[in-house]
């Protein structure tokens, strides 16, 4: 019983002390402080979503993404040229056409201005052994990833697209 009375006494002293501290204060609505406002805004905003990274290898004569699809939004393609001999490029094309059915020019290269295709981005001249990024914001749909280099040596023209350097890619 002694402990109960001690606790009641302590509560009474605290209540009197709080009343004394607030005795001169006028009633008002508390304004949020700058730090309270910024914490509230930060807590209510959604965190920025990180880009989806898709590693892609280009080499004679294929384009190989590590994943065949990615979610819609920001996509960061990390393109590595495994050569072994040629410089390559990386082109992202939005289309409903099959990867091997894109419009072409007389030299066998992909016609970037052809009907039914939209070039969304590219990285030119990726040296053998190096990697280059390509950051794009992509909506749901069908895409083709390809190399569109054309090399002429000793009178012969070689189109990397025509040689099979293309792959289907889906954004969901």
């Amino acid at each position: 019983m002694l402990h109960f009375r001690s606790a009641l006494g302590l509560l009474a002293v605290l209540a009197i002390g709080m009343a004394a501290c607030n005795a001169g204060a006028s009633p008002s609505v508390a304004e949020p402080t700058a730090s309270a406002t910024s914490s509230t805004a930060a807590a209510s905003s959604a965190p920025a979503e990180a880009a989806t990274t898709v590693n892609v290898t280009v080499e004679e004569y294929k384009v190989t993404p590590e994943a065949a699809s990615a979610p819609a939004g920001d996509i960061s393609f990390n393109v590595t040229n495994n050569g072994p001999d040629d410089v390559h490029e990386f082109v992202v094309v939005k289309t409903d056409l099959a990867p091997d059915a894109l419009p072409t020019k007389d030299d066998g290269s992909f016609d970037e201005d052809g009907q039914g295709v939209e070039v969304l981005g590219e990285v030119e001249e990726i040296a053998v052994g190096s990697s280059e990024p390509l950051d794009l914001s992509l909506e749901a749909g069908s895409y083709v990833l390809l190399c569109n280099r054309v090399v002429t040596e000793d009178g012969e023209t070689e189109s990397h697209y025509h040689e099979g350097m293309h792959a289907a890619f889906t954004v969901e």
Side-chain angles (χ1 to χ4, degrees), residues 73-77 92 120-122 134-138:
D74 294 335
I75 300 175
S76 181
F77 292 99
V92 177
L120 297 178
E122 65 183 285
L134 178 60
D135 298 327
L136 297 172
S137 183
L138 301 179

Side-chain angles (χ1 to χ4, degrees), residues 30 39 53 57 64 66 69 81 85 93 107 125-126 149:
S39 338
T53 299
T57 301
T64 310
E66 75 175 355
S69 65
N81 181 355
D85 300 314
V93 179
D107 61 7
E125 298 193 19
I126 305 168
R149 296 267 304 169

Side-chain angles (χ1 to χ4, degrees), residues 56-59 61-65 90 145-147 164-167:
V56 180
T57 301
V58 292
E59 59 191 323
Y61 290 99
K62 56 188 172 182
V63 174
T64 310
F90 179 72
L145 312 178
L146 62 94
C147 175
M165 286 195 74
H166 46 73

Side-chain angles (χ1 to χ4, degrees), residues 61 107 150-160 163:
Y61 290 99
D107 61 7
V150 176
V151 179
T152 303
E153 284 185 22
D154 301 325
E156 287 194 35
T157 300
E158 174 184 77
S159 162
H160 289 196
E163 294 293 327

Side-chain angles (χ1 to χ4, degrees), residues 1-11:
M1 192 72 155
L2 184 60
H3 295 291
F4 179 72
R5 284 187 187 163
S6 297
L8 281 177
L10 180 59
L11 283 175

Side-chain angles (χ1 to χ4, degrees), residues 116-130:
V117 297
E118 180 183 3
V119 175
L120 297 178
E122 65 183 285
V123 179
E124 296 179 351
E125 298 193 19
I126 305 168
V128 174
S130 66

